[in-house]
Amino acid sequence: VEFKDGLLDLTTQVAFAQKGEEPDVKLSDLNAALRSLRMDVPGESEPLWRVPLLALKDATVDISKRSVVIGSLESRDGSGFVQREQDGTISYARLIKTRAAESETKQPGPEDKASWSVDTKRIALSRFRIVFEDRALAAPVRIVVSELSVRGENFSNVQNSLGKATLQAKINDRGTLKFAGTIGTRPVAGRLEVEAQGIDVVPFRPYLADQVNFLLTSGMIGTKGSLGFDTSGDGPAKINYDGSAHILDFATVDKSGAQDLLKWKSLALDGIQFNLEPFHLRIGDINLADFYARVILGADGKINLQKLTT
């Protein structure tokens, strides 16, 4: 990564004392601000990351205890560009150059065994914009997440700790998405209330190209419910969702694009209970309005709707 621009302001109080073999160093009243930060990946036309202001306030660092406490982390009006290459790698994987592993005969020292604890009392990110471009598909996909805001309280990497978080954003300038609840990082786990409205499914059409025998021409999805996830323990992650979902103004045409195939005004799924491991899916009610389907009986005795998926 190349830093094309950026200014750093920093103030702190430093305390130093020699205690035994290791020095005791503490930073207190640490305040820092990164201004006009721009990061580029060589060869890409769009900046990887732009942030007019990233501020860290009221932080303390205790090196001997390997502890960092941040009073608040604030930023606004940032923009990022995420890209998936044709080989499936993500552009952010190129940020850090890797090196060959050191000899396995090396004995771990004290610095290898200790881990740093990081506690953030408050996170406030506002008005971010992130562009995701997927070039691994036959037809590239471009998804724009705008007006992204994140609010967080008491985030920590301490074992089994949970912090409060709220995230809301617009998807492709039309749909809205919101998460609110608790999240932990060790292990990754949490419970979030989810609400999505008016997310256009057409930009995601290339992901279905090899799986369906029709062309998606319109449709908006939404959902409201409670999402739980837990990666602790052995085996796959535990994921469950309880809520409802709807698909509005859904329409498809045949592969030639000449005739309507399947469409409806509204499809509502209520009383959804989903569990990934072990797999379980229950839907309490299904309500379908203004449904249309063009049914053709083929020479093989099968109707065309039986061949919607490949």
Side-chain angles (χ1 to χ4, degrees):
V1 65
E2 294 180 351
F3 289 87
K4 293 291 189 179
D5 198 0
L7 300 169
L8 173 65
D9 302 327
L10 185 146
T11 62
T12 187
Q13 300 287 333
V14 181
F16 174 86
Q18 186 71 35
K19 294 183 179 180
E21 296 182 357
E22 293 188 7
D24 183 11
V25 181
K26 296 180 181 178
L27 307 180
S28 59
D29 297 327
L30 193 158
N31 293 275
L34 270 173
R35 295 182 286 113
S36 303
L37 178 65
R38 172 172 171 167
M39 300 163 58
D40 285 19
V41 173
E44 293 295 336
S45 58
E46 294 193 46
L48 179 74
W49 201 248
R50 279 180 174 173
V51 181
L53 177 65
L54 175 63
L56 183 147
K57 300 180 180 179
D58 301 324
T60 60
V61 180
D62 192 321
I63 295 178
S64 62
K65 293 182 179 179
R66 291 177 168 82
S67 169
V68 178
V69 178
I70 300 172
S72 69
L73 181 65
E74 303 173 8
S75 186
R76 64 177 184 273
D77 299 320
S79 62
F81 179 66
V82 184
Q83 178 179 301
R84 188 168 79 133
E85 306 289 354
Q86 291 184 346
D87 60 2
T89 59
I90 301 296
S91 55
Y92 277 72
R94 299 165 54 189
L95 290 184
I96 300 175
K97 293 182 178 180
T98 58
R99 59 183 178 183
E102 296 184 13
S103 172
E104 295 182 0
T105 60
K106 177 187 174 183
Q107 297 297 318
E111 68 278 1
D112 299 314
K113 298 178 181 178
S115 61
W116 283 76
S117 66
V118 181
D119 296 282
T120 305
K121 303 300 182 183
R122 178 176 175 269
I123 298 174
L125 310 179
S126 303
R127 302 191 300 270
F128 273 65
R129 183 177 186 271
I130 299 174
V131 177
F132 172 70
E133 192 171 284
D134 194 340
R135 299 179 182 176
L137 305 172
V141 172
R142 186 179 175 91
I143 306 298
V144 179
V145 180
S146 59
E147 298 184 25
L148 172 64
S149 296
V150 179
R151 296 289 184 270
E153 295 179 7
N154 300 320
F155 269 88
S156 173
N157 66 344
V158 174
Q159 191 76 22
N160 297 322
S161 64
L162 292 173
K164 294 182 179 180
T166 300
L167 180 150
Q168 56 186 18
K170 278 190 173 183
I171 309 298
N172 290 330
D173 297 323
R174 292 187 62 184
T176 60
L177 181 64
K178 182 177 181 179
F179 296 95
T182 57
I183 299 178
T185 59
R186 293 183 61 196
V188 176
R191 171 66 63 177
L192 297 171
E193 297 302 313
V194 181
E195 185 172 354
Q197 296 290 336
I199 297 178
D200 190 354
V201 299
V202 173
F204 300 91
R205 182 169 58 187
Y207 289 106
L208 302 174
D210 296 332
Q211 303 176 40
V212 298
N213 292 315
F214 58 82
L215 297 177
L216 180 64
T217 58
S218 70
M220 293 185 294
I221 64 173
T223 186
K224 186 174 184 179
S226 178
L227 172 68
F229 53 95
D230 187 353
T231 62
S232 63
D234 299 327
K238 300 178 179 64
I239 299 175
N240 59 80
Y241 185 74
D242 296 329
S244 61
H246 59 263
I247 306 175
L248 305 178
D249 298 322
F250 182 83
T252 64
V253 296
D254 56 28
K255 280 286 188 177
S256 67
Q259 293 181 300
D260 290 335
L261 180 63
L262 187 70
K263 61 182 180 180
W264 61 73
K265 185 67 175 178
S266 172
L267 172 63
L269 310 175
D270 295 316
I272 297 174
Q273 295 178 351
F274 169 78
N275 195 79
L276 181 63
E277 186 63 31
F279 182 82
H280 169 76
L281 175 63
R282 180 182 183 276
I283 300 175
D285 296 297
I286 300 177
N287 294 294
L288 184 62
D290 294 340
F291 176 76
Y292 168 86
R294 184 168 61 89
V295 182
I296 299 175
L297 180 64
D300 57 0
K302 294 183 178 181
I303 63 173
N304 60 331
L305 299 184
Q306 292 177 278
K307 304 175 184 179
L308 291 181
T309 59
T310 56

